[in-house]
Amino acid sequence: MALLEIRWHGRGGQGAKTAALLFADAAVETGKYIQAFPEYGPERMGAPVFAFNRISDKPILQHCGIKSPNIVVVLDPTLMETINVTEGLPEDGVILVNTQKSAEEIKKELNLTKQHVYVVDASKISTEILKRDLPNTPMLGALIKVSKLLDFNDMLDSVKIRLEHKFPNRPEVVDGNIKAIKRAYEEAKA
Amino acid sequence: MALLEIRWHGRGGQGAKTAALLFADAAVETGKYIQAFPEYGPERMGAPVFAFNRISDKPILQHCGIKSPNIVVVLDPTLMETINVTEGLPEDGVILVNTQKSAEEIKKELNLTKQHVYVVDASKISTEILKRDLPNTPMLGALIKVSKLLDFNDMLDSVKIRLEHKFPNRPEVVDGNIKAIKRAYEEAKA
Amino acid sequence: MASLKQLAAQEEKFLGGHRACAGCAATIAARMVLMAAEQPVVVGASTGCLEVVSTIYPYSAWNVPYVHNAFENVAATMSGVEAAYRALKKKGMVKKDLRFIAFGGDGGTYDIGLQALSGMIERRHHVLYVCYNNEAYMNTGIQRSSATPRGAHTTTSPAGTKIPGKIEPRKNLTEIIIAHEPAYAAQATIGYWNDLVTKVRKALDADGPSFINIYAPCRLGWAYVPEKTVKVSKLSVETCVWPLYEYQDGKYRITVKPKEKKPITEFLKQQGRFGHLFKWHDDVPIKEYQEEVDMIWERLLKRSEQ
Amino acid sequence: MASLKQLAAQEEKFLGGHRACAGCAATIAARMVLMAAEQPVVVGASTGCLEVVSTIYPYSAWNVPYVHNAFENVAATMSGVEAAYRALKKKGMVKKDLRFIAFGGDGGTYDIGLQALSGMIERRHHVLYVCYNNEAYMNTGIQRSSATPRGAHTTTSPAGTKIPGKIEPRKNLTEIIIAHEPAYAAQATIGYWNDLVTKVRKALDADGPSFINIYAPCRLGWAYVPEKTVKVSKLSVETCVWPLYEYQDGKYRITVKPKEKKPITEFLKQQGRFGHLFKWHDDVPIKEYQEEVDMIWERLLKRSEQ
Amino acid sequence: MKKEKKGWKELPIGLVLEGGSSEEFETGDWRSEKPIWDEEKCTNCFLCWIYCPDSAIIVKDGKVKGIDYRYCKGCGICAEECPPKIQAITMVREEK
Amino acid sequence: MKKEKKGWKELPIGLVLEGGSSEEFETGDWRSEKPIWDEEKCTNCFLCWIYCPDSAIIVKDGKVKGIDYRYCKGCGICAEECPPKIQAITMVREEK
Amino acid sequence: MIVARTGNEAMAEAMRQINPDVVAAYPITPATEVVQLFSKFVHDGKVTTEFVPAESEHSAISACVGASSAGARVMTSTASQGLALMHEILFIAAGLRLPIVICLVNRSLSSPINIHCDHSDSLASRDAGWIQIFSENTQEAYDSTIMAIKIAEKALLPAMVTTDGFIISHGMERVDMVDDAAVPKWLGTRQPKTSLLDVDNPITLGALDLQDFFFEHKRSEIDAMNRVLPIIDEVQNEFAEKFGRHYPIVDEYKMDDAEVAILAMGSTGGTGKVAVDKMREQGKKVGLVRCRVFRPFPKDQMLKAVTKAKVLGVMDRSDTMSTLGGHLYNECRSILYDSDTRPLLKNYIYGLGGRDISIEDIEDIYTNLFDIQKSGKVDKDIVYYGVRGE
Amino acid sequence: MIVARTGNEAMAEAMRQINPDVVAAYPITPATEVVQLFSKFVHDGKVTTEFVPAESEHSAISACVGASSAGARVMTSTASQGLALMHEILFIAAGLRLPIVICLVNRSLSSPINIHCDHSDSLASRDAGWIQIFSENTQEAYDSTIMAIKIAEKALLPAMVTTDGFIISHGMERVDMVDDAAVPKWLGTRQPKTSLLDVDNPITLGALDLQDFFFEHKRSEIDAMNRVLPIIDEVQNEFAEKFGRHYPIVDEYKMDDAEVAILAMGSTGGTGKVAVDKMREQGKKVGLVRCRVFRPFPKDQMLKAVTKAKVLGVMDRSDTMSTLGGHLYNECRSILYDSDTRPLLKNYIYGLGGRDISIEDIEDIYTNLFDIQKSGKVDKDIVYYGVRGE
Ligand SMILES: Cc1ncc(C[n+]2csc(CCOP(=O)(O)OP(=O)(O)O)c2C)c(N)n1
Ligand SMILES: Cc1ncc(C[n+]2csc(CCOP(=O)(O)OP(=O)(O)O)c2C)c(N)n1
Ligand code: SF4
Ligand code: SF4
Ligand code: SF4
Ligand code: SF4
């Protein structure tokens, strides 16, 4: 696998950073080389924020910012009004959006031509399964699908381990998240 | 006048530093180039201390310590028991001691051969005139005499100005000191 | 007593467009303090949430002169500003009558900035020091300060399996400042705007250094939903966790006495930072905190009667 | 109560050969504190007269482990030493039961070291902090500290023609520390050796941080003849300039009540630093100082009755 | 916000900024809930105004005039503090 | 005190000093007044001992034994604090 | 064990495994997490450390000095303003020869206040007598933290291990962690020669040192610094033997036949290596030198490395404010003064306050260096790379 | 008016004549007297200054920053530990471009704690963005203090004028003082562009400055530093014209035909000149270069001076703790790197903690330099001169 670069868009408090970290962490378990890093500003809850991933089969040495990601993940569609989420996205790039809308609609809204657009209603999935609008974990499932980066089951196992570690006494949280990831994996579509 | 170097010996609180400063200050008024500096340690009242002077007709550029003074002034004779007051004194050096003893006695005590010894009972002078044992100002008078450095009257005038400046509302202090200096000038002897 | 209508008639001195979390009480406090001031003011702030969210180059929310120097030295910085004012006024280079306000978070006041504040008061600088107290270092991600109450979870006093949050009681900074004998000292909180505004005015009119400790809930660090900011603030007073009182001319005065003193659990259970205490194997941490609150309240009642 | 005979039976822990001025009370205080300790102690000192005169390489007057770090941080340094003790004791690498004492002058305590002390108490380190209070920065040549009383001449608050010495009242550090709720706090002075020794023992036995503010006349800075050191110390108590009291478990106790409260002039006129006040064109400075002393004494009486 | 940033030679010396410039920074897009103010119900008690952390309640001529959505972050304090008997402000989910 | 000072390689590392070494530094020569203790008059109240800033009152076996002139700086506190009715210590000018 | 960790997590994990006796610290972005994570270990009983949540960095380092004087193994963590506030006490720690270790996250110094990376903070304390080790990535941050304990205790000098703020501190990467048990075993316990807690052998520490002894004591401290590099080598070799990862003091990347090269510190080393690879693909003979140990300055190792190139671009993430350019640049010029081989030098000051430096930027710099090689002269010796309006 | 003054008195007198709006200070040996004497002026009504007796140096410099931001002319004085405690805020003062002036008395930094002279204190803050002017004697201390106000206000950078602790600070010498009235007249009042007290034009000072602006702001500060030397020259010329004493940025003494020379700072310059005269009497062609301005580093002036000699002994009263020797030595090697003329360099680290340096010592160093000239090579490039047991 060549080097793949991902940019996450979210709002402070929505877990873009957590998603990127979780993604990287899980990928390491499957033997990949990874990076995950936030674009730190002093922004508070609610403000638009970014996070990034690099993932590769070979060691990743660079520590510069990502200007031209292969994949963009948008956790919150309202961001698209004020933020240019497709900035730097190359023609063969992929954009994955948490939305109720169709890929076509999004494509139009963003004035995209060649790039691939995928959508999934991660907020709905999260609200239904986790009883809270926390789209970041479901989006992981969708990302795995659209990126074809990792084996889904390997990934699921390692996310599970990570979640169990984080919530040692709350199996319901772990199970819920895993369920949500699975569903988003299934529901994500072009 | 060639460069002359002087070392003062006293105890913390006895005014060796003040004497050196006063001496320098007065000499400047008479047109000389001077230096006055203490050997600062953190010693408290009562501890043996040093002070130094350089005096010359020409600018003095060096800022090193004085190892081999031309003149040594001892404000407190009890110091001679523990401190080697003649350290570095050259063969043509002069030592001036505040003591009741004679120059001969001191010369013997200090095992001196060639150096010139002068004595004056500055403590007595001070006690009689100033009602306190503050030998430093009278010693100035004796120093002027033995050093033949400066014109006595010029010097007296400038000491007076300096004292008036320091004790603006206490003419009795100024007069007493001037008197004491004069008397020490007269009484100092080899 | 101030009326909201009058207050609202002035120009805003602390503007929108700052980057505080939605529902942040620190910014409410800053806004209220400035609107209370009847004289032109010059403001200083220590590093912390209020500073960071209000002044990110090239944007500033302050519509009054403002200076930020470092984290630990706003009191010293404002001492200098005030000294400059006295000097330049003497020379006729400044004409107006100005007031000076220093803002510091509890970290910048109770901990790293305490000494500078102590010095400012001792030297009798005519500065109002406002501590907006959210009981932790929020700007760096919710670490314990000496204002953090016992039992509270912070990232450096975490609710662990061995130790349930912070173990030491909070420092009573208001009493420490009162022991400095400033010209005016008080505790306030944003939920009681009128009390707060009145205190700011008294402080600015006092002839010397003054201090107001403003309890300012932080929805992020205290972990509650943003719209509850004012409610949480009010609960702190109703439970006597944060008594509203003032000290001037050697006299204590309680300015808002709760009709009925509620148990602190009413206050604690609103907030995620205390959540673990309700699951802890014993009730010692809560009991100890209640005792501390009671003790301080009793003492306050006694002192205010004298 | 300690007996001098018993005290004298121990080995000296603060030895002769130090370079303090003849008649220095700071060294008397250090010696008394060490002889009071019944457990082995580790000592720290902040930069200042006591440190300088007792440890000039290669000579040390301390016959107990001693560390000097800097001027402003003895409380933090000893916090670290005490933390190391707890850590190494847990591991069995230290066996004995030790006590920790930090010494600071009033400059190193009231001013530049206040914050470190405040932190030490807040974190509840088991350290006795002793402030030997000579009411100015003596080591650097008698500059004003916030412990310097109003009216006193120092080299940075000189008796000038326009301003007669220091204008601000002294900081009441003991009350500031009491507001921190340490395990024990007290004021003492060397003239009352038994009171002092008893307080040191209580402090070392208390379960947490403790503080003793020891009034320690300085013959150089206060300008009196050296043999009067003990007399001057006693006069400070008899005039209530320096009340002897303690605070523990929320209670105040006056430990030595003067039979008859003398006017402060009795104390002031012994000392050159106040000499100019008696020649000043009015008696305001002395009167203000007397009022301050009275106010604090009255309040103390009241609090100790509760 | 998207205007070209200045080069170093054009910036004012010493980090000086004009006061009040945050008005150019609109935090309205942080909002996920939105307060809706009902002029009819409003009694002009100004409680929403005094408690708004973002100075986003517009008051003019002694009357509340609405909400400045450029800055309002949707914290919901105004709705919460609007007296229960009046309820002139309600929160709705921000439209996407 | 006049012994050769050590070169840098011989000094202990880290500024460590042995405790109590000031005993090698005799401050007795600072004295200009000297306390004279009268064994006859002394009642062993130990007041001179407790107040001496220079630990210079020699106590052995529960009794005052005299003054350690190696360290005594002649402050006069011992004489001053010796109870007025006893006056076992008197100050005299230091001999030259 | 291979895990994913941010730089801060890696350092905190290293601290957990070291299990120091005392940690005294104060929060500051971007180092806070180190202390946060460590506090959690304390509150969960995963370490036996006494944690002192100091009321300022000044007190934190002061408490470290106290604890280390008492014989404890002591660590702390800070950044930027925090290190600057420790400044006075840093010198004292070194003078007292206390092997305290700081996990430092590099962040630029105010003013202007900024939370992002440059190296001005640690470099502003470079005279303090501390060993300074800069890390390229999280793995190095982790390994160096463990090694620093041993290095400091052998050298009897304090040490700081640094990472680039946010870039490394908050960047998650693969880290190969040593076994929990292996770390304390490899390190052993600290064996101090003297301790304040030894009441039977009372020592006096920190006496006033006048003209008659100060110079000798300072000379001895300088001597200790002179002995550090071999100690680092020794410890790095031991570490490699035991755990399989070996670090050089000066890291050379494709230098053997390099015509032009850059010299850098910290995370830029990695970005530069990618640029090297890309240029090499185009057949350009470029190389990179990374300075891992900045204090003591590794004169011999550095000379050996940099004299291989004809043109050297020195990349400084800091400025000396002297008009002479950056820190590395000046130290390089200094050591090269009487060298026989004398590359052309150019200084690129970049990345201040967290300004990003990309692979393309570094390629651009290489291109510029080739131009210099061609022309044989450096026209403008100090450039501010990436600043707007230059 | 010719008077006798110690260095501290001379600086205090300069301050009295300047009559700054605000002085905020804290006592420390050997600078205390400056503040003491100044307090007396305040209490006697001789100045109109607001004096802020801060509770620490950290607060003193912080108050200076506040006062200067408010448009006041501000001064303070400190030494050693005091400057170290100010460290963090020194950078802030420079970043905010505030023309504060410090009368600094050089004293070595703890540990070991010592009260005597070396240059480690000001040099440890050399990155802070302050102008640094070192004085050889009391006259220079006095003159430079007055000039520093003008220099700082023109450059919009803070400045420190230093004297050697005790040697100059407590040494009394002849000083030719300017008339009381002439000083304020020559200086004028400060004309700040903005002030915190201007409530009608509210400014915000000290905002958080992220990746998008920090580098530009820093670049502008560096630019200000790049413009300082011409300003110093200009002010020194104005001063000479008005008051008759002219100072160079780099002081050359008998350098024109010197074969060997020493480079030094501070009071050693004077002692060295006497040594030069003595050697010249013996027909030895020796010279001396004195660095008066250390920040910004006067590259051109220094190059011009030091390249006159074949062998240069660089005398540093400080060590960088890098193993590379002293500060002047390294900066000299750095600027000489690509110089055409390349003297042999040897570093003499001397006088740490107040160890005396005599005329004979310097003669000895010259003799040593002649040996080097003869042999054509430097065997040991860094020596610790005057340390026992070397
Ligand atoms: C000397 C120094 N240490 C640490 C920091 C990092 N820091 C900045 S703000 C802050 C916490 C602020 O806490 P507080 O004063 O309570 O204000 P809040 O953020 O809670 O509003 C810290 C630790 C700093 N800027 N400077
Ligand atoms: C940071 C710092 N500032 C200033 C000094 C200088 N200094 C050393 S001791 C001292 C005064 C000590 O005063 P105090 O604590 O009252 O003790 P005293 O000397 O009166 O016994 C000062 C100002 C210092 N060593 N360090
Ligand atoms: S973290 Fe707390 S204090 Fe900081 S901006 Fe958010 S709500 Fe306000
Ligand atoms: S100056 Fe005062 S405190 Fe210092 S040693 Fe002398 S008497 Fe003691
Ligand atoms: S929702 Fe919050 S920010 Fe918006 S107007 Fe209401 S109180 Fe203000
Ligand atoms: S005179 Fe003073 S120093 Fe000497 S023994 Fe008596 S009390 Fe001690």
Side-chain angles (χ1 to χ4, degrees), chain C residues 47-50 71-72 105-108 112 132 134 136-140, chain G residues 26-29 57 81-82 85 107, chain H residues 88:
Chain C
T47 316
C49 267
L50 181 61
F71 183 23
E72 62 277 26
D106 49 290
I112 202 167
Y132 67 95
N134 53 29
Y137 303 163
M138 296 311 173
N139 183 45
T140 38
Chain G
Y26 194 78
I28 183 162
T29 308
E57 288 88 353
Q81 309 306 109
L85 191 53
R107 157 182 159 186
Chain H
E88 182 193 3

Side-chain angles (χ1 to χ4, degrees), chain A residues 5-98:
Chain A
E5 297 184 322
I6 304 170
R7 182 172 68 217
W8 299 74
H9 288 275
R11 291 189 182 281
Q14 250 174 1
K17 178 190 155 190
T18 312
L21 293 177
L22 196 60
F23 180 68
D25 197 4
V28 162
E29 301 265 328
T30 72
K32 301 278 181 216
Y33 287 85
I34 54 89
Q35 282 183 350
F37 54 97
E39 167 93 356
Y40 266 92
E43 307 295 0
R44 295 305 192 265
M45 294 181 87
V49 296
F50 311 86
F52 302 91
N53 280 120
R54 283 194 178 96
I55 176 160
S56 171
D57 289 330
K58 282 182 298 183
I60 304 169
L61 298 182
Q62 59 265 56
H63 287 105
C64 42
I66 289 174
K67 286 179 199 152
S68 181
N70 306 87
I71 304 178
V72 167
V73 185
V74 182
L75 291 184
D76 185 333
T78 60
L79 283 167
M80 298 192 299
E81 283 160 36
T82 44
I83 301 286
N84 180 6
V85 296
T86 59
E87 193 173 326
L89 194 68
E91 298 212 330
D92 62 348
V94 172
I95 177 162
L96 168 63
V97 184
N98 165 26

Side-chain angles (χ1 to χ4, degrees), chain H residues 43-97:
Chain H
H43 278 230
D44 285 345
K46 298 227 168 116
V47 289
T48 59
T49 308
E50 287 294 326
F51 178 64
V52 180
E55 78 289 348
S56 75
E57 288 88 353
H58 194 287
S59 283
I61 189 71
S62 298
C64 289
V65 165
S68 190
S69 305
R73 181 171 281 163
V74 182
M75 300 183 75
T76 183
S77 172
T78 191
S80 181
Q81 308 306 110
L83 192 72
L85 191 54
M86 291 179 176
H87 189 71
E88 182 193 3
I89 312 303
L90 294 178
F91 287 76
I92 293 176
L96 295 176
R97 309 289 301 276

Side-chain angles (χ1 to χ4, degrees), chain A residues 44, chain C residues 20-21 23-26 49 53 134 138 217-221:
Chain A
R44 295 305 192 265
Chain C
C21 303
C24 170
C49 267
V53 303
N134 53 29
M138 296 311 173
C218 163
R219 45 79 44 111
L220 184 77

Side-chain angles (χ1 to χ4, degrees), chain H residues 142-154:
Chain H
Y142 169 80
D143 291 342
S144 299
T145 301
I146 294 169
M147 288 190 282
I149 297 283
K150 208 167 206 172
I151 293 167
E153 290 177 7
K154 285 197 182 211

